[in-house]
Amino acid sequence: MKFYIVIPAHNEADVIERTLQSIVQQTVLPTQVVVVNDNSTDHTAAIAERFAAQYPFITCIHTTSSEAHLPGAKIINAFYKGYNTLDKNYDIICKFDADLIFPHNYLETLALHFNANPKLGMAAGFCYIEKNNTWVLENLTNKDHIRGALKAYRKDCFEQIGQLKRAMGWDTVDELLAKYYQWDVLTDATLHIKHLKPTGISYNKASKYMQGAAMYKMRYGFTITLISAGKLAYKKRNIKLFKDYMMGYLKAARSKTDFLVSAKEGQFIRDLRWKGMRHKLKL
């Protein structure tokens, strides 16, 4: 099974070496890895180039963009800069962050899952962060959700969902569309990935409304957005985020921002969200 990996990297000099080291030590090696040095001003490029010189399956390309560290379009634009340098002879395409340490059997285990189930469209493990010298689950989302930091897609699924959206919310709408097209999504709790920089730690103030806008663009509707925004703010232990998320949603609604999904896909997404909430409440 051919794994192709694209790693967007913006100023990750303090962590990317450990990420790449964990990849080159996999029991099943990837066929190709592209590190996209996205406008870094530190030594990210030098570290990636050193690995590229040592390992023939690793390449490093350089691109320019804003200097801000933002979720959404910036990351996916960098992903495509790397993806477009690859041939399309892969089985699994991965978008990995540059601040992860993977267990040695990570790709091998993913391959077992994909080989065992031809309808498996996406699979991943779980992110853990260090607190008080202990690695604990980074519990920001439901346990059946694959984090944006470590996405792995079967080629046919990746193509059918229209690849990745160049917008905040790309790492939620991809799963929702995979389910819309009847692909299975799997999270393996035995795979613990060390997340060296907790989610959002380096995002700037410009990103604070983006989560709510993403909920609008995924056609959640006001009520589901209200519930989702409250839940996410609670998980992050920051009630001010609830206001930011709702402001982002309302700003996007007032400006009639373009949706990421069709009306039919949006109805499926809302039905799926309501079904999930009813299941949790056992209604």
Side-chain angles (χ1 to χ4, degrees):
M1 181 162 278
K2 293 182 179 179
F3 284 87
Y4 285 12
I5 299 172
V6 180
I7 304 175
H10 173 72
N11 287 344
E12 304 285 9
D14 55 338
V15 290
I16 192 171
E17 181 167 5
R18 284 176 281 178
T19 297
L20 293 174
Q21 194 63 45
S22 73
I23 288 175
V24 302
Q25 292 177 340
Q26 290 292 302
T27 53
V28 170
L29 289 173
T31 303
Q32 294 194 58
V33 177
V34 180
V35 178
V36 183
N37 170 41
D38 184 17
N39 210 45
S40 296
T41 55
D42 61 6
H43 298 298
T44 295
I47 296 168
E49 291 285 9
R50 174 160 53 82
F51 274 85
Q54 187 174 356
Y55 298 94
F57 56 88
I58 298 178
T59 57
C60 179
I61 66 171
H62 308 278
T63 186
T64 57
S65 67
S66 74
E67 294 184 5
H69 198 294
L70 291 168
K74 174 181 168 65
I75 294 169
I76 301 308
N77 286 339
F79 167 84
Y80 278 116
K81 291 286 180 68
Y83 177 76
N84 290 335
T85 68
L86 299 168
D87 62 51
K88 303 305 179 280
N89 296 324
Y90 60 86
D91 299 300
I92 308 297
I93 183 71
C94 303
K95 179 267 168 199
F96 288 163
D97 280 3
D99 60 348
L100 306 172
I101 300 177
F102 295 94
H104 294 341
N105 66 334
Y106 190 74
L107 295 183
E108 179 181 5
T109 304
L110 291 191
L112 290 173
H113 288 311
F114 280 113
N115 282 324
N117 179 6
K119 285 301 295 177
L120 182 59
M122 301 171 60
F126 285 84
C127 287
Y128 281 69
I129 57 174
E130 191 173 18
K131 287 187 176 181
N132 301 320
N133 298 316
T134 302
W135 290 92
V136 299
L137 180 68
E138 190 177 21
N139 189 26
L140 295 177
T141 62
N142 294 337
K143 291 184 179 180
D144 60 351
H145 171 64
I146 295 174
R147 301 288 302 281
L150 62 170
K151 296 284 190 174
Y153 309 84
R154 188 186 297 273
K155 182 180 181 179
D156 287 347
C157 175
F158 186 70
E159 295 295 338
Q160 193 167 26
I161 66 174
Q163 301 185 0
L164 305 185
K165 309 297 184 186
R166 299 174 189 259
M168 180 73 168
W170 68 270
D171 55 342
T172 299
V173 75
D174 60 345
E175 272 184 35
L176 297 171
L177 290 177
K179 292 176 181 178
Y180 176 80
Y181 288 108
Q182 300 184 329
W183 290 98
D184 294 334
V185 175
L186 180 145
T187 52
D188 185 339
T190 70
L191 294 173
H192 295 191
I193 299 89
K194 293 179 178 178
H195 196 185
L196 300 173
K197 294 165 67 175
T199 299
I201 195 170
S202 56
Y203 292 157
N204 67 23
K205 292 180 180 179
S207 69
K208 69 178 184 176
Y209 298 132
M210 294 174 71
Q211 184 70 55
M215 294 177 188
Y216 172 82
K217 289 187 281 188
M218 288 186 282
R219 296 182 184 263
Y220 275 20
F222 182 82
T223 304
I224 293 177
T225 298
L226 192 73
I227 296 169
S228 299
K231 178 182 174 182
L232 190 55
Y234 173 77
K235 279 183 172 287
K236 292 185 176 182
R237 300 293 191 269
N238 186 347
I239 192 63
K240 184 179 180 298
L241 291 175
F242 173 75
K243 178 183 176 182
D244 291 340
Y245 297 153
M246 293 309 301
M247 284 293 295
Y249 176 89
L250 294 171
K251 284 175 178 285
R254 283 196 296 267
S255 62
K256 297 183 179 180
T257 303
D258 290 340
F259 294 112
L260 294 177
V261 297
S262 69
K264 188 176 180 181
E265 291 166 344
Q267 184 62 58
F268 173 85
I269 288 169
R270 290 191 298 277
D271 290 346
L272 190 66
R273 286 298 193 220
W274 283 122
K275 181 179 178 181
M277 284 186 267
R278 286 195 297 268
H279 177 73
K280 287 185 176 181
L281 294 172
K282 300 188 184 302
L283 297 179

